[in-house]
Amino acid sequence: MAPWFEISIYAWIGVAVITFFTLLRVTAPYGRHTTNTWGPMISNKLSWMIMESPSGLLVLSLVLLGDVPLHWPTTIFAGLFVMHYFNRSVIFPPRTRTAGKKVPLVITFSAIFFNLVNGSMIGYYLGFVHEYDNSWLQSPQMIGGLLVFLLGVYINVQSDNILLNLRKPGETGYKVPQGGMFSYISCPNHFGEMIEWIGFAIMTWSLPGLAFAIWTIANLLPRALDHHKFYHQKFSSYPAERKAVIPFML
Ligand code: NDP
């Protein structure tokens, strides 16, 4: 790996660590925490579509344009990555029941920037830096990482489905989610997403994969803590045994 690329990734991980500590103090204003004090706003659904589109497209383009010979492992990594972002940018937004809800443009732009950098790093690594030959398919990292990734996808999608079905059409309020991993934690959708990208980092055994997993934790762990606090403030009978984001721990 070229030194400039390696240094850039370490710097990007440094920014993730700073972001993590910032988000522990400042609540990111979208979804239930949205506010109109962060400047101009945009439709919530449109924001999801715009901000989550670049990543998958970038990875796909860089892998196809890349000069590293393409074998099954890279095809699988790119395929899983693109499927995740197809769900997040095309399938997920119209399913949200957030009629009329808005999000500050600054959130949309920061997410676009975050996705552009992550997508470029992962796409460049897969397309131009590292050749995974087919023997990688039998490595413990590939097998273990893929299982962890799929477990994360299952938890994330199951939890998203429960949340998206809580509201009847036209409703905008909040309810106490039940079922699936909600029995243990307030935010299994965030937990699943973190597991997913840890799995991706393991199966690619790569620095860009690790950076993306760290960034996902930096974004979602503070958000889950904020959600957990919100539930306790809003619902006096909120299940006391339910942790925020890591079962039995946090
Ligand atoms: P939330 O849990 O905040 O919201 C998900 C959806 O469910 C929203 O439409 C929300 O409505 C609705 N909802 C949530 N809780 C309730 C409730 N108690 N009652 C009724 N409706 C509810 O998820 P996020 O917006 O944080 O994230 C959405 C997805 O994107 C997740 O799967 C997450 O993992 C992923 N994500 C990934 C990131 C990454 O860095 N990789 C960063 C951010 C998100 P409303 O919007 O009105 O609150």
Side-chain angles (χ1 to χ4, degrees):
M1 196 181 341
W4 68 265
F5 187 47
E6 198 170 350
I7 292 167
S8 311
I9 301 170
Y10 279 118
W12 184 233
I13 291 175
V15 180
V17 174
I18 295 167
T19 303
F20 173 71
F21 286 105
T22 307
L23 289 177
L24 285 178
R25 299 172 71 91
V26 181
T27 300
Y30 64 101
R32 73 194 61 188
H33 311 291
T34 198
T35 154
N36 57 10
T37 58
W38 283 59
M41 301 182 85
I42 175 178
S43 141
N44 184 65
K45 285 180 202 279
L46 186 61
S47 173
W48 274 109
M49 287 180 177
I50 301 172
M51 65 191 181
E52 298 295 308
S53 300
S55 234
L57 292 173
L58 256 174
V59 167
L60 186 63
S61 315
L62 289 169
V63 164
L64 292 177
L65 293 171
D67 51 17
V68 162
L70 191 57
H71 307 292
W72 274 110
T74 301
T75 310
I76 292 171
F77 302 148
L80 293 172
F81 198 92
V82 169
M83 274 162 56
H84 172 92
Y85 277 99
F86 183 75
N87 173 45
R88 191 61 72 224
S89 59
V90 178
I91 298 175
F92 175 79
R95 294 182 67 214
T96 58
R97 291 178 178 165
T98 53
K101 201 158 201 173
K102 294 194 169 188
V103 55
L105 260 177
V106 66
I107 289 290
T108 313
F109 282 123
S110 1
I112 291 173
F113 176 71
F114 161 72
N115 282 322
L116 282 176
V117 178
N118 276 310
S120 309
M121 284 181 171
I122 291 174
Y124 183 75
Y125 185 82
L126 295 178
F128 292 86
V129 176
H130 192 81
E131 179 180 353
Y132 294 88
D133 63 39
N134 285 337
S135 66
W136 184 254
L137 292 176
Q138 290 156 20
S139 66
Q141 292 98 317
M142 179 75 201
I143 297 167
L146 182 60
L147 290 175
V148 173
F149 180 88
L150 294 176
L151 175 69
V153 172
Y154 178 77
I155 297 171
N156 177 258
V157 171
Q158 181 199 47
S159 314
D160 271 353
N161 285 342
I162 292 174
L163 290 173
L164 294 176
N165 286 319
L166 283 176
R167 291 177 183 147
K168 297 193 181 73
E171 281 184 352
T172 51
Y174 291 89
K175 302 176 184 177
V176 177
Q178 306 287 356
M181 287 203 63
F182 285 100
S183 308
Y184 305 99
I185 46 179
S186 295
C187 299
N189 53 340
H190 298 146
F191 175 67
E193 180 107 16
M194 293 191 280
I195 297 287
E196 199 176 321
W197 297 113
I198 289 170
F200 191 83
I202 296 172
M203 71 176 144
T204 58
W205 210 245
S206 66
L207 198 53
L210 176 67
F212 188 36
I214 292 173
W215 260 103
T216 302
I217 295 167
N219 277 327
L220 294 184
L221 202 141
R223 181 158 175 81
L225 294 176
D226 286 334
H227 278 28
H228 188 63
K229 197 166 147 195
F230 166 94
Y231 281 127
H232 274 283
Q233 283 167 350
K234 189 164 180 64
F235 302 102
S236 53
S237 58
Y238 193 72
E241 70 288 353
R242 208 180 276 192
K243 297 286 183 188
V245 62
I246 302 176
F248 312 110
M249 290 174 67
L250 178 70

